[in-house]
């Protein structure tokens, strides 16, 4: 007998509010952001090119489509399940650093496929060796 794992698909955009479970997804994301900040993470805003205050840059990074996808994955999977995220753009520095820490704090394997590479995050490390 072959058992298949459920696949949850949704195409996210930054600050996306279109998913039917938006409220729950954002609640998971907010809790995760707070937990990761307690671990010492600060958003990597250096490459945000908008001419806005630092707090706005951080808010924009917090609504990142990849972070929403990860929150959705956490909401829908059991604690030991790998989470897979596909991106149509290259992974950014902030997201890469954030996911590394999330993988360590939650003890989860997170696999992110961007348009060029696969990144396998586990225990705070990435398979790319931080060279992407």
């Amino acid at each position: 007998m072959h058992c298949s794992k459920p696949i949850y698909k949704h195409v996210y955009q930054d600050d996306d509010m279109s998913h039917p479970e938006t409220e729950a997804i954002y609640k998971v994301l907010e809790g995760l952001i707070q937990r990761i900040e307690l671990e010492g993470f600060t958003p990597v805003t250096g490459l945000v090119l908008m001419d806005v205050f630092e707090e706005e840059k951080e808010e924009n990074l917090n609504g990142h489509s990849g972070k929403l996808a990860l929150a959705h994955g956490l909401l829908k999977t059991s604690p030991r399940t790998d989470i897979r995220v596909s991106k149509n753009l290259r992974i950014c520095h902030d997201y890469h650093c954030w996911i590394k820490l999330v993988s360590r704090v939650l003890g989860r394997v997170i696999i992110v496929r961007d348009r060029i590479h696969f990144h396998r995050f586990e225990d705070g490390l990435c398979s790319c060796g931080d060279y992407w």
Side-chain angles (χ1 to χ4, degrees):
M1 177 179 206
H2 175 63
C3 295
S4 61
K5 296 179 183 177
I7 297 175
Y8 301 97
K9 291 188 176 185
H10 182 78
V11 177
Y12 287 95
Q13 296 180 7
D14 291 348
D15 299 315
D16 195 345
M17 301 292 275
S18 67
H19 193 280
E21 296 179 90
T22 291
E23 188 175 325
I25 292 167
Y26 272 89
K27 185 176 249 181
V28 169
L29 180 58
E30 288 169 17
L32 188 55
I33 288 168
Q34 289 174 357
R35 187 167 176 190
I36 298 307
E37 285 176 353
L38 288 174
E39 293 292 320
F41 180 78
T42 54
V44 182
T45 60
L47 295 176
V48 178
L49 302 177
M50 296 181 295
D51 187 21
V52 295
F53 291 111
E54 195 68 18
E55 295 83 24
E56 289 179 77
K57 289 180 182 182
E58 290 178 13
E59 286 176 26
N60 287 331
L61 290 171
N62 285 341
H64 188 281
S65 61
K67 292 179 182 179
L68 290 168
L70 177 63
H72 184 204
L74 291 170
L75 181 67
K76 291 297 191 178
T77 60
S78 59
R80 291 192 175 93
T81 307
D82 294 358
I83 296 176
R84 300 179 196 293
V85 176
S86 295
K87 296 184 55 55
N88 63 345
L89 301 171
R90 287 194 64 189
I91 192 170
C92 74
H93 187 65
D94 175 78
Y95 186 58
H96 192 272
C97 294
W98 191 77
I99 293 285
K100 283 184 0 182
L101 193 53
V102 168
S103 72
R104 182 176 60 80
V105 168
L106 297 183
R108 299 282 288 259
V109 172
I110 303 165
I111 300 166
V112 178
R113 169 72 170 117
D114 69 18
R115 67 181 185 90
I116 296 175
H117 302 288
F118 279 96
H119 298 265
R120 186 178 190 279
F121 299 91
E122 185 174 13
D123 296 324
L125 301 172
C126 181
S127 60
C128 75
D130 295 336
Y131 180 76
W132 70 97

